[in-house]
């Protein structure tokens, strides 16, 4: 696909597809992440609730006095450590350091699930502990049923608290059973890494595939457009011969002495319309060749200062007839050269200047500015004319587009001038854009890559015609 518009459209299609897919995949990843978290948390909480409930049901029927440990504590939890005793917290169970028989019926819970068990009285005072790393948990005891705690190393624990009663229904205190969430946090961290790495890679793959698919989808359009271009080129080329014949015939008829004045007026009208049609055909042929890159160009060093001076001399009479001031402003200390076709560059600039004069009321100004910016020559054609509405500025470089019907009837023209100007500028590796406000005027800005000529000349900073 050689057409710049198609390349731009292909990029847009691929980009939008990749963005949409990235959003969809991000949303799916977030949903999967949340579902996994919820499922795992529910599983942990059910397991914790089962252990806490079993301990509660075994211990509570044997409690006689509030805050007093009974023999059942030691029977159920052989490694229990009373808070007022001198047992070291180093004896609290850690992975693989003790045998299952030391810990009674709950030894599998200690070994594999990293549980801890705490007993506190009604005032929150710690009575006894058992299980995994109970000494590193916060000393503050809260009565909430479900809590998430952190130890000194930042490890998280899920904890369930159940109220204990004595045999005579007095408040004995609480049993708090907690489970380490390290395995959950590790799984979630791994999942985050997978999502963080997998999503960009997937988006890149989607972007590449979308670029390929967009190319496949646009091949029929590209083929049709090339056929249309070829038809336009062939038709324009074939129309030149009969138009030239019509013009020759009209000129021959003008040489006949016996023609009436009315016939001469009719022939003059035919000649004018034939001339307009010939110009339209020539413009269409040129535009088609520029887009197909088959237009022969003579790449030479073109001095933009000289081109602008010549054009200002050429259009000075037209500007004076329209009661306008046509001036140039050169903001550089050297001559600016570009590689290109001089005739085509003259056509671009003459088209912009002619439009500026055409759409500027009497008493206005048209200024051509030449300057150098970042390795490019910048030519601005400014006017104080009627301006162009912002919503129409993006269409004015399309072929046959006219801003409004009133302007078309008043000025005539084919509507191909700016399209040809853009095609010529792009063929020279440059760009053209417009800035305009209705009622205040317009500024057409052309950027062309510079080529430094060996001979340095001095140019005037300001040149007025």
């Amino acid at each position: 696909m050689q057409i710049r518009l198609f390349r731009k459209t292909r990029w847009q299609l691929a980009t939008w597809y990749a963005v949409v897919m990235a959003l969809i995949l991000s949303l799916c990843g977030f949903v999967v992440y949340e579902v996994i978290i919820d499922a795992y948390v529910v599983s942990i909480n059910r397991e914790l609730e089962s252990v806490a409930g079993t301990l509660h049901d075994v211990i509570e029927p044997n409690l006689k006095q509030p805050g007093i440990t009974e023999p059942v504590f030691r029977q159920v939890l052989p490694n229990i450590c009373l808070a007022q005793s001198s047992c070291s917290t180093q004896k609290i169970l850690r992975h693989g350091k003790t045998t299952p028989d030391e810990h009674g019926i709950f030894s599998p819970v200690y070994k594999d699930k990293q549980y801890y068990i705490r007993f506190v009285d009604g005032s929150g005072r710690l009575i006894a502990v058992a299980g995994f790393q109970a000494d590193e948990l916060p000393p503050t005891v809260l009565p909430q049923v479900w809590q998430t705690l952190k130890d000194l190393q930042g490890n998280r624990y899920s904890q369930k608290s159940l109220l204990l009663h004595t045999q005579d229904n007095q408040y004995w205190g609480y049993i708090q059973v907690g489970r380490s969430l390290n395995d959950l946090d590790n799984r979630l961290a791994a999942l985050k890494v997978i999502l963080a790495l997998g999503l960009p890679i997937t988006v890149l793959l989607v972007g590449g595939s979308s670029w390929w698919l967009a190319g496949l989808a646009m091949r029929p359009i590209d083929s049709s457009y090339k056929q249309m271009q070829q038809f336009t080129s062939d038709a324009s080329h074939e129309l030149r011969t009969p138009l030239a014949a019509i013009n020759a015939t009209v000129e021959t008829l003008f040489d006949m002495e016996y023609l009436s004045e009315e016939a001469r007026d009719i022939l003059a009208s035919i000649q004018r319309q034939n001339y307009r049609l010939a110009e339209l055909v020539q413009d269409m042929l040129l535009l088609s060749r520029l887009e197909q890159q088959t237009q022969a160009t003579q790449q030479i060093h073109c001095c933009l200062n000289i081109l602008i001076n010549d054009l200002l001399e050429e259009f000075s009479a037209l500007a004076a007839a329209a009661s306008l001031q046509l001036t140039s402003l050169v903001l550089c200390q050297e001559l600016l050269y570009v590689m290109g076709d001089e005739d085509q560059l003259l056509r671009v600039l003459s088209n912009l200047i002619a439009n500026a004069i055409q759409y500027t009321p009497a008493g206005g100004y048209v200024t051509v500015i030449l300057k150098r910016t970042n390795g490019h020559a910048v030519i601005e054609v400014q006017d104080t004319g009627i301006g162009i509405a912002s919503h129409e500025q993006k269409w004015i470089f399309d072929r046959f587009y006219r801003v409004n019907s009133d302007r078309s009837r008043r000025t005539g023209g084919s509507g191909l001038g700016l399209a040809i100007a853009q095609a010529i500028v792009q063929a020279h590796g440059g760009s053209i854009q417009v800035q305009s406000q209705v009622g205040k005027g317009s500024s057409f800005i052309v950027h062309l890559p510079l080529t430094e000529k060996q001979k340095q000349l001095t140019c005037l900073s300001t040149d007025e015609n």
Side-chain angles (χ1 to χ4, degrees):
M1 294 185 187
Q2 301 298 325
I3 306 303
R4 181 173 299 188
L5 175 62
F6 285 177
R7 292 199 300 269
K8 180 181 178 181
T9 303
R10 187 179 181 183
W11 273 112
Q12 289 176 340
L13 287 174
T15 302
W16 276 112
Y17 184 78
V19 169
V20 171
M21 288 303 298
L23 292 175
I24 293 174
L25 292 175
S26 299
L27 180 60
C28 292
F30 176 77
V31 171
V32 170
Y33 181 80
E34 291 296 325
V35 168
I36 292 176
I37 291 178
D38 291 342
Y40 210 84
V41 168
V42 168
S43 175
I44 290 175
N45 289 343
R46 286 179 178 174
E47 186 179 285
L48 185 60
E49 190 171 23
S50 175
V51 173
T54 301
L55 281 171
H56 177 274
D57 294 343
V58 171
I59 293 174
E60 188 177 53
N62 297 282
L63 298 177
K64 298 177 181 179
Q65 299 181 24
I68 303 299
T69 58
E70 304 293 338
V72 68
F73 284 80
R74 186 68 61 180
Q75 296 172 0
V76 176
L77 304 168
N79 74 330
I80 191 169
C81 178
L82 300 179
Q84 67 272 21
S85 69
S86 60
C87 70
S88 171
T89 56
Q90 297 300 322
K91 295 181 180 179
I92 302 298
L93 175 67
R94 297 179 186 274
H95 290 292
K97 293 185 178 179
T98 55
T99 62
D101 295 337
E102 291 182 69
H103 311 292
I105 62 174
F106 287 96
S107 59
V109 172
Y110 291 149
K111 182 178 180 181
D112 300 327
K113 303 301 182 182
Q114 300 186 352
Y115 276 84
Y116 67 84
I117 302 166
R118 303 198 298 184
F119 296 93
V120 296
D121 61 17
S123 62
R125 180 177 59 87
L126 186 63
I127 300 175
V129 295
F132 179 77
Q133 293 184 342
D135 57 316
E136 297 182 359
L137 294 172
T140 304
V141 179
L142 300 176
Q144 285 91 341
V145 176
W146 289 101
Q147 300 176 62
T148 300
L149 306 177
K150 285 187 178 181
D151 61 18
L152 298 180
Q153 282 72 40
N155 298 315
R156 297 193 310 140
Y157 297 85
S158 180
Q159 177 180 284
K160 182 177 177 61
S161 300
L162 294 175
L163 189 61
L164 293 172
H165 297 83
T166 62
Q167 294 175 351
D168 56 358
N169 204 31
Q170 298 183 54
Y171 288 111
W172 184 93
Y174 296 92
I175 177 176
Q176 295 181 327
V177 182
R179 183 196 189 280
S180 173
L181 298 179
N182 280 341
D183 51 349
L184 172 62
D185 292 339
N186 291 336
R187 289 172 186 256
L188 294 182
L191 183 58
K192 288 179 181 178
V193 172
I194 293 173
L195 293 176
L197 295 178
L199 184 60
I201 294 174
T202 304
V203 171
L204 289 177
L205 294 176
V206 169
S209 61
S210 62
W211 170 261
W212 177 68
L213 290 174
L216 289 180
M218 293 188 66
R219 279 184 182 177
I221 303 175
D222 181 53
S223 177
S224 298
Y225 191 82
K226 287 180 178 179
Q227 291 178 0
M228 181 185 68
Q229 281 185 319
Q230 188 62 42
F231 171 78
T232 302
S233 178
D234 295 343
S236 300
H237 186 272
E238 293 300 324
L239 284 172
R240 296 170 66 183
T241 301
L243 288 174
I246 293 174
N247 188 62
T249 302
V250 171
E251 289 180 351
T252 301
L253 291 174
F254 269 123
D255 294 335
M256 295 182 179
E257 298 179 356
Y258 59 84
L259 286 179
S260 64
E261 192 65 27
E262 182 179 359
R264 289 183 179 276
D265 291 340
I266 294 174
L267 288 175
S269 177
I270 293 175
Q271 191 176 44
R272 286 194 303 271
Q273 299 304 321
N274 186 76
Y275 177 74
R276 289 186 60 187
L277 185 57
E279 278 192 331
L280 176 60
V281 169
Q282 185 65 27
D283 288 347
M284 292 177 63
L285 183 60
L286 174 61
L287 188 58
S288 177
R289 287 176 175 175
L290 286 171
E291 290 183 342
Q292 296 182 69
Q293 299 180 353
T294 58
Q295 174 68 21
T297 58
Q298 184 181 4
Q299 296 289 323
I300 62 173
H301 285 80
C302 302
C303 180
L304 296 178
N305 307 72
I306 297 175
L307 293 183
I308 291 175
N309 287 336
D310 292 345
L311 286 172
L312 261 65
E313 291 180 4
E314 179 182 341
F315 283 97
S316 59
L318 181 62
S323 301
L324 302 175
Q325 293 190 29
L326 177 61
T327 60
S328 68
L329 182 62
V330 181
L331 304 177
C332 64
Q333 298 300 321
E334 59 182 355
L335 295 176
L336 300 183
Y337 289 86
V338 298
M339 286 295 296
D341 188 296
E342 188 172 289
D343 292 336
Q344 292 184 6
L345 293 176
L346 280 172
R347 176 156 189 170
V348 172
L349 298 179
S350 62
N351 181 277
L352 297 179
I353 295 173
N355 284 348
I357 294 174
Q358 198 168 40
Y359 299 126
T360 301
Y365 298 86
V366 176
T367 305
V368 181
I369 301 174
L370 177 62
K371 57 185 179 181
R372 176 177 182 168
T373 303
N374 297 328
H376 283 75
V378 180
I379 308 168
E380 294 187 37
V381 180
Q382 299 179 350
D383 64 61
T384 57
I386 59 178
I388 304 171
S390 58
H391 66 277
E392 292 182 307
Q393 292 177 19
K394 61 181 179 180
W395 305 110
I396 61 174
F397 294 104
D398 291 350
R399 59 182 67 186
F400 299 113
Y401 182 81
R402 306 304 300 267
V403 174
N404 55 60
S405 57
D406 293 338
R407 173 184 286 188
S408 300
R409 287 193 297 267
R410 182 168 63 87
T411 61
S414 62
L416 291 175
L418 290 178
I420 292 175
Q422 184 183 54
I424 292 174
V425 171
Q426 291 177 350
H428 284 75
S431 63
I432 183 172
Q433 60 189 92
V434 62
Q435 297 175 355
S436 183
Q437 291 184 0
V438 176
K440 293 186 178 181
S442 303
S443 177
F444 285 84
I445 306 170
V446 177
H447 291 258
L448 293 170
L450 277 171
T451 298
E452 296 292 344
K453 199 174 182 181
Q454 295 297 323
K455 186 179 179 180
Q456 297 295 325
L457 299 174
T458 303
C459 65
L460 296 176
S461 61
T462 304
D463 181 8
E464 294 188 0
N465 292 327

